[in-house]
Every structure is written in C-alpha cells, then in structure tokens.
Amino acid sequence: MTDVRVRIAPSPTGDPHVGTIYISLFNLAFAKKYNGKFILRIEDTDQTRSHPTFEKNIFEALKWANIHWDEGPDIGGTFGPYRQSERLSIYKKYAEKLVEEKKAYRCFATKEELNEMRQVAKTTGTPSGYDRRYRNLSDAEIQKRLDEKQSYVIRLKVPLTGECVFEDAIKGTITTPLADIDDQVLLKSDGFPTYHLANIVDDHLMKITHVIRGDEWISSTPKHILLYEAFSWDKPTFMHMPLLLGKDGKKLSKRKNPTSTFYFKETGYLSDALTNFLTLMGYSSKDEKEIYSFDDFVKNFDPTRIGTSGAFFDIQKLDWLNQQYIINTLSEKDLLDRLKKWQFNDDFFKKLIPLCHTRMKTFMEFMELFDFMFINHLNYTDELFTVKQTAKNEAIIILYAMMLLLEKQDMLKAENIEKTSHEIADLFKIHHKKIVMPLLYATIMGKKFGPPLFKSCEILKKDRVRARFLNAIEFLGSISNKKINEIKKQLEKKDLSMFIKQKD
Ligand code: GLU
C-alpha cells in the first residue's frame, strides 16, 4: 500500500458529537495499523454556522478521548493550512480551472428563478430542482452578464446520461444513475466553496488515500467521484461506516439522545470506556471480546470486519462497560482522584456556594439542595409534573419548545434562560410562575422547589440540561416528529397558544 493518509474533517457547527469520536477512532486505528498518518482538517466554510468556540470544543473533545493527530490546524504539517476558511483562493482556482475546461459553468440564476424552478420541479415530480438553463450560454452571453456584474455560482456539468459506479470498501459496489445528480454548485456567489468542492480538493492536495466517514455522506460520494473524474485525479478508497443509531432506529440525534462528547465527560463516563464502546459500534472483533484497550483494538483491527448496517448506541451497554472500567482499571485511590477531578472540587463547589449560602439551616441541607447536581437519573413522578390543569401532552410540548429555544444559545447563561422561560409563557399564553416554573423545577431538579433554577441550569451546562428535558419528555410520554414540526412552525409564527387547552 502507498503511504496511508486518512483524515477526519469535522465542521465546527455545534457541540462535539460522539459520532466524530467514533469516526476518528476508526481512522486512527486504520492509520496506526498501516503506519500511516491521521490528519485533522476543519471544514468551516459554512460561515453562518461555523464558530471558533465549536472548533476549540472539537480539539478538546478529541484530546479528552485520547485521540491525537499528526497534522492539523493547531500543529500544522506539510499540506496546510488545515482550516478550509484559510484555503479559499485554492478552491476558487480549481473551480475556475474546470470552467476554463468547460467541465463546469457559471450559473446566473437569481433566487427568484431558483424558487420558480423548484416549484416547477415539485409539480412535475422531477428530482432535480435546477433545470440547467445556464449550462449552454454562449461565450458572448456570459461575458455580457459578467460585464453587468451579475452574480453567479459555478456548477459542475454533470453528464446527462449514464451511471456513476464506485466501489465502497465496506458496502461494495454503489451505482447511481447520473440523471439523479444535479449540476451541483461548486463555488457559491460569495466565493466560498461548497462542501463537495472543498472536500475533494483538500483530500486530493492532502494526499488522502482512504476516506473513512459516516454513512450519511454516501449519497454525496457520486458527486465527489464526478469531481475526481473532472479533474482527472486518482480517487481515494471510500469506506462508509455504519451510522450510530438511537433507540428509535434513526440516526443518533441530539433532539432525542445525548450526543455531545461533553455530556459523557460531564456525567462521569471514563474516556477509555467510551472509546472502547464506540469501537464496538459497527465492528465485531474476531474473538468477540468486548473489553479491550485501544492499542489491542489497533493490533487486531481488521477493516473487513466493519459492519454494513447501523450500530445501535445502547446506553445501558455503555453504562455496563463504564462500570467494568471503574472496577478493573481504577484503584480506590484512583477513583477518589477521578471523583475529585470530576465534580468534587473547589471549582465546582465555588459555583454552588452563592446558591446555598442563605438557604440552609445546617450543612446537611447542602445535599438536599444540590442532589440533582450529582444525580443523572432524577426521580420523576406524575405528581411532580401535575401543574395546574396542564395535561401531560401539553407539558411535553411546553418542554420541547423550551428546549428548542435553549438550543439556539451556544452557552447557557442564567439571564438568557430566564428570558427564554418568560418567552415560553408568552408564546403559550400561560402563567410563568404557576406553570412554566414548576415544570422547569420538575425537569431540571426532579423536585418542586430548590436553589435558583436559572443559575443551576447555567452550572449544569447545556448538555445536561438538554438531557433532562429529553428525560422528562420521555417520562411524560413521547413526542412525534409531526408534533415537533408543528411546534417549529408555530415558533416561527411566534404563537404556540393553540397547543394549550386551559389558559391562565
Ligand atoms: N465536513 C464533513 C463533516 O462535517 C466531512 C464529511 C467527510 O468526512 O467527508 O462531517
């Protein structure tokens, strides 16, 4: 094999997902197995969603999971820069090269035109929204529009007939009719590349030999193959890993399950247990052993044993594994040290002190006040959630809407959470103090009263707060995707009152 080079290419657009750790572990194992290099590239070309804090969180999460890279934005390397926002001129150059070679073209479609095309496609049932109207403009017509400074994107000229066939090293032969592939945009009107262009230009320039990524990208791969062909570049080997699935059999989603690596760190999982667990996902070792170190995993790693179908993210299994690690890898002294490092330390307690200073008659009451800070599974009861005349299904909707609004805040700050809770009361036209607050106390603390709620949420941080909303919703029943979409729609209209029968 030529020098193996693999990469992960996360986008810094949200909490560091456990899926990134999962994919990293397989890339890292592959690199180690074949004495190759493991590269970290940050794909931050989505300017509206990317944020340096999210990038920092990706580094932190990977390091916590003991994943280290040979080249990356923080340490550099021969093929840098490794942050796509620093490589814009490169993508532009390659997109223009394809235009010159008539393998791509400038498309001047306006927003209105695109909307119109989408409507037409909907009524005629054609899969592609874009009708390729700018594909065959004459040079004079193009020049005229350029002189008029009309804005344009660059699109790939996808062959109109035939098939795109590629061999996925895990899934086998994948065939896609070319008629199903749009003339994809490569360069946007603001000069930023799309994911497809930047991703393959970088994989080529960074000499990536194997693209090991999640199954959700397999539908993009035919587009990538077409690009490699347009540039006449050698293609890497593609390996699409089984998706991590939630209990419902759907892709693990933060709207339904904890997905942030920090959630697992903050609720007291050991990183070795989590990484062991993640390597079990979508992979079966020859000897069916389930507990092993990462070094052992690498030693025995056989990529042909990667599964082809989704991998259930079974929290109970993770809990079991974590316990095995606590028993077998930590001495009593280690356990004490780890507990201190986790939450029994001055830093954490200093945050709690202002919240209890005036609220306890004896020191013993400290624990009564703050039990919920140290417990993952709260003792929810029906009585706790029986708040005025609010029915269970109404409580679910109120909590879900609150969770959606909190989701928009990168870091939970007490005053913003408080504002959001008032907003919820206004949106549903319900009493803040008599309905919203008791529901929140029940959800976050598993009790009717406690220390200041909003400060407590800030201390618990977003991942644990989100998990509590999800747990409370699960306790109360469940919520359908249809209902979720209705809530989202009504949130845009800023009126959720129709979900509540009994107003206050
Ligand atoms: N930026 C993509 C992501 O967020 C990269 C996908 C790939 O590995 O090609 O995961």
Side-chain angles (χ1 to χ4, degrees):
M1 226 191 278
T2 44
D3 288 348
V4 164
R5 290 175 58 81
V6 293
R7 58 34 168 207
I8 53 157
S11 296
T13 52
D15 304 319
H17 201 285
V18 273
T20 303
I21 306 291
Y22 161 65
I23 296 296
S24 302
L25 289 166
F26 281 89
N27 273 284
L28 186 59
F30 195 89
K32 282 187 186 282
K33 173 97 191 173
Y34 298 106
N35 289 321
K37 293 271 185 275
F38 171 58
I39 289 112
L40 169 60
R41 179 172 77 228
I42 293 290
E43 298 206 332
D44 58 347
T45 52
D46 184 341
Q47 286 297 286
T48 48
R49 293 173 61 220
S50 299
H51 199 279
T53 312
F54 295 141
E55 179 185 298
K56 201 184 101 258
N57 289 347
I58 292 173
F59 295 166
E60 194 183 320
L62 289 168
K63 285 181 184 160
W64 176 73
N66 224 347
I67 293 168
H68 302 279
W69 42 98
D70 300 303
E71 299 164 28
D74 52 339
I75 51 174
T78 325
F79 302 94
Y82 293 89
R83 199 177 276 114
Q84 288 190 328
S85 57
E86 293 165 19
R87 303 169 62 82
L88 298 180
S89 57
I90 302 176
Y91 310 125
K92 201 158 187 275
K93 186 180 95 191
Y94 281 103
E96 271 157 14
K97 184 168 179 286
L98 289 186
V99 174
E100 259 162 50
E101 293 171 4
K102 304 247 180 265
K103 291 174 179 161
Y105 61 97
R106 293 186 177 86
C107 164
F108 298 90
T110 60
K111 246 193 214 135
E112 292 71 33
E113 281 182 276
L114 289 170
N115 275 340
E116 217 174 88
M117 285 181 237
R118 231 168 271 137
Q119 285 307 326
V120 173
K122 233 195 236 163
T123 43
T124 55
T126 11
S128 150
Y130 178 64
D131 64 9
R132 302 185 153 111
R133 67 177 64 170
Y134 289 96
R135 185 167 158 133
N136 297 311
L137 285 192
S138 67
D139 288 349
E141 181 66 22
I142 294 168
Q143 196 50 51
K144 186 174 149 262
R145 288 173 185 266
L146 288 178
D147 293 342
E148 285 167 6
K149 302 241 171 314
Q150 286 191 18
S151 104
Y152 64 85
V153 301
I154 293 180
R155 285 182 185 268
L156 186 68
K157 244 185 216 175
V158 174
L160 300 175
T161 52
E163 285 176 333
C164 170
V165 183
F166 75 94
E167 206 52 34
D168 185 276
I170 297 174
K171 312 240 163 204
T173 311
I174 309 280
T175 307
T176 316
L178 290 173
D180 289 355
I181 305 177
D182 232 345
D183 278 359
Q184 56 188 292
V185 176
L186 304 179
L187 202 73
K188 295 182 262 185
S189 54
D190 57 6
F192 274 73
T194 54
Y195 154 69
H196 305 298
L197 177 70
N199 188 269
I200 77 115
V201 166
D202 285 349
D203 281 347
H204 170 73
L205 295 177
M206 295 179 184
K207 298 198 185 315
I208 300 302
T209 55
H210 297 76
V211 170
I212 307 172
R213 63 183 168 199
D215 220 357
E216 70 264 46
W217 302 103
I218 203 161
S219 58
S220 296
T221 312
K223 300 176 183 176
H224 298 180
I225 301 279
L226 291 173
L227 271 167
Y228 279 105
E229 284 170 359
F231 284 117
S232 309
W233 289 340
D234 286 342
K235 300 173 200 83
T237 299
F238 289 99
M239 298 168 70
H240 288 90
M241 296 283 305
L243 277 188
L244 296 183
L245 304 177
K247 274 198 288 232
D248 56 359
K250 304 228 172 77
K251 186 181 163 197
L252 200 67
S253 136
K254 70 175 173 189
R255 303 264 189 268
K256 297 215 166 126
N257 318 273
T259 54
S260 164
T261 310
F262 291 158
Y263 169 83
F264 296 96
K265 180 178 174 212
E266 284 158 14
T267 48
Y269 288 92
L270 302 178
S271 61
D272 287 348
L274 181 68
T275 53
N276 187 159
F277 172 73
L278 289 170
T279 59
L280 287 173
M281 301 280 99
Y283 184 81
S284 54
S285 61
K286 227 179 278 155
D287 52 11
E288 289 181 12
K289 247 172 99 178
E290 293 194 309
I291 304 182
Y292 41 68
S293 67
F294 187 65
D295 285 346
D296 280 341
F297 176 67
V298 170
K299 222 181 283 156
N300 300 316
F301 182 56
D302 173 1
T304 63
R305 300 193 69 85
I306 295 174
T308 47
S309 54
F312 279 94
F313 192 95
D314 178 353
I315 287 267
Q316 270 143 14
K317 177 86 178 252
L318 173 60
D319 285 352
W320 170 80
L321 205 66
N322 204 56
Q323 184 174 17
Q324 300 308 308
Y325 269 80
I326 292 177
I327 296 169
N328 298 319
T329 68
L330 300 184
S331 67
E332 287 184 359
K333 154 119 188 22
D334 294 336
L335 179 58
L336 178 62
D337 290 343
R338 295 298 291 263
L339 281 170
K340 282 191 200 159
K341 203 168 148 210
W342 172 60
Q343 263 188 201
F344 291 94
N345 54 50
D346 279 3
D347 281 349
F348 192 70
F349 278 76
K350 266 186 204 153
K351 293 181 192 164
L352 305 183
I353 297 302
L355 276 62
C356 65
H357 197 180
T358 58
R359 287 185 174 78
M360 35 191 223
K361 292 184 279 302
T362 66
F363 293 162
M364 287 293 273
E365 286 184 10
F366 179 84
M367 258 313 172
E368 282 169 34
L369 278 167
F370 289 125
D371 54 352
F372 68 95
M373 290 278 179
F374 302 90
I375 296 173
N376 210 10
H377 305 288
L378 301 175
N379 202 5
Y380 290 144
T381 61
D382 281 337
E383 200 247 327
L384 202 54
F385 284 95
T386 309
V387 172
K388 293 207 63 183
Q389 302 90 334
T390 313
K392 270 189 188 176
N393 62 335
E394 294 176 335
I396 291 177
I397 295 172
I398 296 170
L399 293 175
Y400 203 90
M402 175 89 183
M403 187 175 84
L404 283 180
L405 291 185
L406 291 180
E407 209 49 63
K408 295 192 183 138
Q409 300 165 27
D410 293 342
M411 286 253 284
L412 293 187
K413 285 260 159 247
E415 59 271 26
N416 296 335
I417 311 168
E418 182 166 8
K419 250 190 241 151
T420 307
S421 75
H422 282 284
E423 199 182 332
I424 283 290
D426 294 345
L427 287 166
F428 282 98
K429 300 199 174 50
I430 51 175
H431 203 287
H432 180 254
K433 211 159 149 199
K434 290 187 198 155
I435 298 182
V436 180
M437 288 304 279
L439 282 179
L440 292 180
Y441 265 104
T443 301
I444 301 297
M445 301 188 188
K447 46 193 178 190
K448 289 193 171 167
F449 314 98
L453 178 81
F454 305 116
K455 269 274 170 221
S456 296
C457 290
E458 182 178 318
I459 296 169
L460 279 170
K461 301 206 264 196
K462 191 170 173 179
D463 294 311
R464 273 198 275 181
V465 168
R466 186 198 293 118
R468 278 171 203 213
F469 275 94
L470 292 173
N471 288 344
I473 289 165
E474 194 177 321
F475 170 77
L476 289 166
S478 62
I479 186 158
S480 64
N481 287 338
K482 189 167 160 245
K483 194 54 90 197
I484 293 175
N485 288 334
E486 281 172 34
I487 299 174
K488 285 185 185 160
K489 216 156 116 214
Q490 286 308 122
L491 269 174
E492 270 168 35
K493 293 188 187 156
K494 297 201 179 308
D495 182 7
L496 295 159
S497 61
M498 71 287 300
F499 292 115
I500 304 289
K501 263 208 224 102
Q502 192 83 37
K503 306 272 165 34
D504 191 283

